[in-house]
């Protein structure tokens, strides 16, 4: 069974930083792309960042230059380093594996206060 567990969400002041982690099990981690999505209340879930099995990264324009996605295949963990946080970044952040719409973590809440 596939299990993705996010952690690291918190309440932070605007301009602050957080690092989210997603620990994966039940998959061949190293061959799967991994992604971070977020969903704010009343809004659609959106892709924030993605990292391919080969380490190529993609970012939403809204976070480019502020967020960095990385992966540690030995730890089967993907990270999202978030800097210069804005109130608009407030959302539940979800981990995704393999670009599959049915492989999600439970989410971790990020709240950025102004």
């Amino acid at each position: 069974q596939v299990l993705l567990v996010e952690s690291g969400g918190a309440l932070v002041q605007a301009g602050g930083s957080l690092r989210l982690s997603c620990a994966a099990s039940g998959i061949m981690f190293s061959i799967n792309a991994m992604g971070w999505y977020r969903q704010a209340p009343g809004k659609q879930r959106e892709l924030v960042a993605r990292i391919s099995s080969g380490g190529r990264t993609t970012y939403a324009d809204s976070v480019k230059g502020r967020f960095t996605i990385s992966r540690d295949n030995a730890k089967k963990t993907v990270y999202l380093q978030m800097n210069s946080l804005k109130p608009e970044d407030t959302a539940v952040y979800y981990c995704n594996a393999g670009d599959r719409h049915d492989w999600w973590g439970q989410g971790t809440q990020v709240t950025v206060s102004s």
Side-chain angles (χ1 to χ4, degrees):
Q1 63 283 79
V2 176
L3 181 63
L4 304 171
V5 180
E6 301 97 332
S7 62
L11 172 64
V12 65
Q13 293 280 327
S17 297
L18 286 173
R19 188 180 74 159
L20 307 184
S21 299
C22 172
S25 61
I27 64 170
M28 297 180 69
F29 183 85
S30 64
I31 67 168
N32 277 283
M34 301 294 295
W36 285 98
Y37 290 70
R38 67 187 181 189
Q39 188 165 23
K43 300 186 71 177
Q44 205 165 352
R45 188 172 299 189
E46 65 173 346
L47 176 67
V48 175
R50 179 184 182 273
I51 184 166
S52 74
S53 61
R56 297 182 300 276
T57 58
T58 301
Y59 299 93
D61 287 342
S62 59
V63 308
K64 199 168 298 181
R66 300 188 296 121
F67 291 9
T68 303
I69 189 171
S70 61
R71 65 191 296 157
D72 186 332
N73 288 343
K75 296 181 179 178
K76 300 181 70 174
T77 300
V78 62
Y79 305 95
L80 185 68
Q81 178 66 47
M82 305 186 294
N83 299 325
S84 301
L85 282 161
K86 305 175 180 180
E88 308 93 272
D89 297 318
T90 295
V92 177
Y93 283 70
Y94 296 92
C95 180
N96 175 264
D99 299 314
R100 289 181 60 115
H101 291 172
D102 57 341
W103 286 3
W104 298 100
Q106 85 289 348
T108 186
Q109 176 71 48
V110 172
T111 303
V112 184
S113 62
S114 59

